[in-house]
Amino acid sequence: MSLPLMKNYINGEWVESNSTNIGDVWNPALGEKIAQVAYGTKEDVDKAVKAAKDAYWDWRTTPPLTRARYLFRLKDAFEENFEDIARVLTTEQGKCIDEARGEVRRMIENIEHATGVTTLMCGYTLEDIAKDIDCFGHRQPVGVFAAIVPYNFPGMVAWWFLPYALVTGNTYIVKPSEQVPMTQTKIFEIIDEIGFPEGVVNMVHGSRDVVNGILDHPDIEGVSFVGSSPTAKYIYERCGATGKRVQALGGAKNIVAVMPDADLDAGMPSLITSFYGCSGQRCLSGSVLVPVGDVADELLEKFSAAAKDMKVGSGLDEKTAMGPVVSAAHKERVLGYIEKGIEEGADLVMDGRNYTSTEFPNGFFVGPTIFDNVKPDMTIAKEEIFGPVVSVVRAKDLDQVIELINTRGFANAACIYTNSGAAAREFKYRVKPSMVGINIGIAAPMSFFPFGGAGDSMFGDTKGHGQEIFNFFTDTKVVIQRWF
Ligand code: NAD
């Protein structure tokens, strides 16, 4: 049986790439191929940019409220198709269906926030900056923008940017991850039904050639990237070289501290979700668990018991707490880190290497894994594993935790569990990562707050969504005026 081939969406039409480089899309729970995707070419990018550029002036001169009305219609259509989008997402990415639903909800929240354009895009004015002279700062759209996004949130991440780009009057191109192209294809089918003007919003599938086509194209004004840190750095540098606006969000190695006074029973569900939700494939996932002082043994006992209780299996089963990782290659990478942890002398107290599902014997599963007595300089305490592997680094006090956090290159998120307001304040005040959870294991800013980290986790200064995203997608034109 032939597999469906994902098409590009350019100028309001579904078009096939002429690329002969075709990749497979997998269902990671079944370990089966379910679709194919062409790894597009520079020519595909050129076509999309031309369509977006041709559409720009009409769209830019469309009143902001009229542009917002397209988004209102899109929101309604996403609500109607909510479950279908979530199911496609789980099928190709593997995460649990409830996690997929949460992702679709976050996507919609970005649309909702962007529709505040008539307030959020306002400029500012001041009369009489000098005798009889007034000054106006208008926020104007800039042109064609593009998003390059990762595999772990196939739906949401592009929507940290796209609604804001469109509503402010820019035109857009999305390049989904080649590992999970089906979700965004489903979303673009809905976009197609809404009937945006041709060329306003486009999608090109592919990998490096498409990315490089975007980075080098003189008619693309800016790029929003989310993915691993080495790629983020590459994107940032290349956009700098070609003079583009850029925001490049990278990888993470998040530390979760548990103080001796923490309420372990109340905190346990969110602690478990922090480390094992989405099988650890979240940029906000906990990766290093740091018990402080004498809480270590009790914490480890309760955490291990809860981890053991999780049902691992297909994400489409409502009872599943943890799905597979995305691919066979990624499973090998995660297993490689577990081997490394053993080699470097950490104590493997829960071993997920040989997890097999009787229902889904070919799935790409890794069971929950825990290392105790991990030292801060071990590989598993430093590098991003992006799998269900917990490294426990024991600390004697809060100062030691903060020191550990602030000496990592990654600085995406950090969390603390405590009943002490003083400890929580000290923590949030001093840690470098820019997303902080207090008795919260996944410190995910909602659409009306900025999303992004610091250090090696973020290249650029304007983060995803929030209010500042309106700066990224606009230029403030200052007009100084005098009438004789
Ligand atoms: P990735 O860097 O491999 O890929 C991201 C995108 O870049 C994809 O679209 C891919 O096609 C493209 N790409 C990959 N390598 C490239 C190269 N050499 N040249 C040009 N383009 C390239 O990331 P991934 O594996 O898809 O996603 C997981 C990573 O994303 C993790 O590191 C995770 O922490 C990070 N992430 C970060 C955030 C955040 O908010 N900071 C959010 C989600 C994911």
Side-chain angles (χ1 to χ4, degrees):
M1 201 180 73
S2 72
L3 297 170
L5 177 71
M6 299 298 108
K7 291 184 182 160
N8 294 333
Y9 186 78
I10 298 175
N11 209 26
E13 286 183 352
W14 292 101
V15 287
E16 270 182 33
S17 167
N18 57 6
S19 168
T20 51
N21 188 4
I22 308 288
D24 295 318
V25 184
W26 293 76
N27 176 326
L30 302 181
E32 280 176 7
K33 292 177 193 172
I34 48 173
Q36 291 193 309
V37 61
Y39 290 0
T41 58
K42 186 181 161 303
E43 287 68 39
D44 294 321
V45 175
D46 290 347
K47 282 182 203 155
V49 177
K50 181 174 183 323
K53 197 177 174 201
D54 288 350
Y56 173 65
W57 195 254
D58 275 353
W59 184 246
R60 182 235 182 284
T61 52
T62 301
L65 192 54
T66 308
R67 294 195 296 253
R69 287 189 185 121
Y70 284 92
L71 295 188
F72 283 122
R73 280 160 51 202
L74 204 51
K75 174 200 152 51
D76 285 348
F78 282 172
E79 297 285 4
E80 272 165 36
N81 290 275
F82 192 98
E83 190 62 17
D84 287 352
I85 302 171
R87 295 188 89 77
V88 173
L89 203 160
T90 288
T91 303
E92 68 171 350
Q93 203 279 340
K95 66 177 65 176
C96 297
I97 186 67
D98 246 2
E99 293 168 335
R101 291 178 187 130
E103 181 172 345
V104 179
R105 180 53 58 207
R106 291 262 153 148
M107 217 172 87
I108 294 173
E109 285 163 2
N110 277 286
I111 297 177
E112 290 169 331
H113 178 44
T115 57
V117 63
T118 46
T119 311
L120 293 165
M121 197 184 167
C122 284
Y124 48 99
T125 65
L126 188 66
E127 287 182 332
D128 298 322
I129 57 163
K131 179 77 182 128
D132 291 338
I133 297 180
D134 304 330
C135 192
F136 303 82
H138 300 290
R139 280 171 137 182
Q140 298 191 332
V142 186
V144 182
F145 281 81
I148 300 162
V149 292
Y151 82 79
N152 62 328
F153 282 86
M156 176 187 72
V157 169
W159 293 77
W160 288 353
F161 313 106
L162 189 157
Y164 306 100
L166 293 190
V167 86
T168 49
N170 303 283
T171 54
Y172 216 62
I173 300 165
V174 176
K175 192 216 79 76
S177 163
E178 64 277 26
Q179 296 190 70
V180 289
M182 296 171 72
T183 307
Q184 222 52 246
T185 300
K186 170 80 194 157
I187 288 168
F188 269 74
E189 284 167 7
I190 300 166
I191 288 179
D192 187 48
E193 281 168 25
I194 293 300
F196 277 84
E198 287 166 7
V200 164
V201 53
N202 308 275
M203 173 176 62
V204 180
H205 289 293
S207 58
R208 289 175 194 203
D209 289 347
V210 173
V211 172
N212 290 332
I214 289 171
L215 299 179
D216 292 343
H217 202 297
D219 290 332
I220 292 189
E221 301 289 343
V223 173
S224 301
F225 171 84
V226 181
S228 60
S229 286
T231 323
K233 192 156 187 279
Y234 166 72
I235 302 275
Y236 186 68
E237 288 171 353
R238 195 127 164 196
C239 284
T242 55
K244 296 187 193 325
R245 292 178 176 216
V246 57
Q247 43 185 177
L249 283 66
K253 184 76 181 173
N254 304 316
I255 293 179
V256 178
V258 179
M259 299 298 285
D261 61 6
D263 186 334
L264 295 187
D265 294 328
M268 198 50 65
S270 67
L271 268 173
I272 286 289
T273 314
S274 173
F275 286 88
Y276 296 123
C278 297
S279 309
Q281 300 164 103
R282 274 199 282 225
C283 69
L284 293 176
S285 288
S287 180
V288 178
L289 178 62
V290 185
V292 179
D294 61 8
V295 75
D297 291 341
E298 190 192 350
L299 171 65
L300 214 61
E301 191 186 308
K302 289 187 166 167
F303 188 87
S304 306
K308 219 185 217 155
D309 257 7
M310 287 190 312
K311 179 173 167 23
V312 180
S314 162
L316 288 175
D317 177 346
E318 300 279 349
K319 293 199 188 74
T320 295
M322 190 170 89
V325 297
V326 71
S327 65
H330 190 56
K331 176 175 172 174
E332 284 312 307
R333 185 169 180 274
V334 174
L335 296 183
Y337 274 110
I338 300 177
E339 298 298 337
K340 192 85 183 160
I342 298 168
E343 219 176 277
E344 291 185 359
D347 298 335
L348 185 59
V349 294
M350 188 176 290
D351 184 357
R353 282 175 298 174
N354 296 319
Y355 177 85
T356 44
S357 159
T358 41
E359 268 178 290
F360 306 104
N362 300 322
F364 309 136
F365 295 101
V366 180
T369 298
I370 303 173
F371 279 104
D372 193 9
N373 296 312
V374 176
K375 301 293 170 239
D377 59 349
M378 288 180 180
T379 307
I380 55 170
K382 290 192 298 196
E383 293 185 10
E384 183 175 41
I385 301 174
F386 225 50
V389 180
V390 179
S391 301
V392 178
V393 176
R394 297 176 180 228
K396 71 174 192 315
D397 56 24
L398 186 60
D399 277 342
Q400 215 176 45
V401 181
I402 294 173
E403 156 95 7
L404 183 68
I405 293 171
N406 289 347
T407 49
R408 309 283 106 173
F410 292 116
N412 214 39
C415 301
I416 186 168
Y417 282 74
T418 182
N419 272 324
S420 156
R425 184 182 188 278
E426 182 81 1
F427 184 84
K428 74 159 183 175
Y429 192 82
R430 285 174 54 196
V431 294
K432 184 174 174 190
S434 16
M435 293 179 277
V436 172
I438 297 171
N439 297 314
I440 300 276
I442 296 284
M446 289 183 73
S447 61
F448 25 94
F449 284 90
F451 195 116
D456 294 343
S457 296
M458 164 99 204
F459 302 90
D461 47 22
T462 309
K463 297 177 178 179
H465 55 67
Q467 293 185 13
E468 59 224 73
I469 196 83
F470 284 84
N471 293 336
F472 187 72
F473 288 119
T474 58
D475 177 48
T476 303
K477 181 182 280 178
V478 176
V479 180
I480 306 166
Q481 176 178 284
R482 168 166 60 193
W483 294 101
F484 298 111

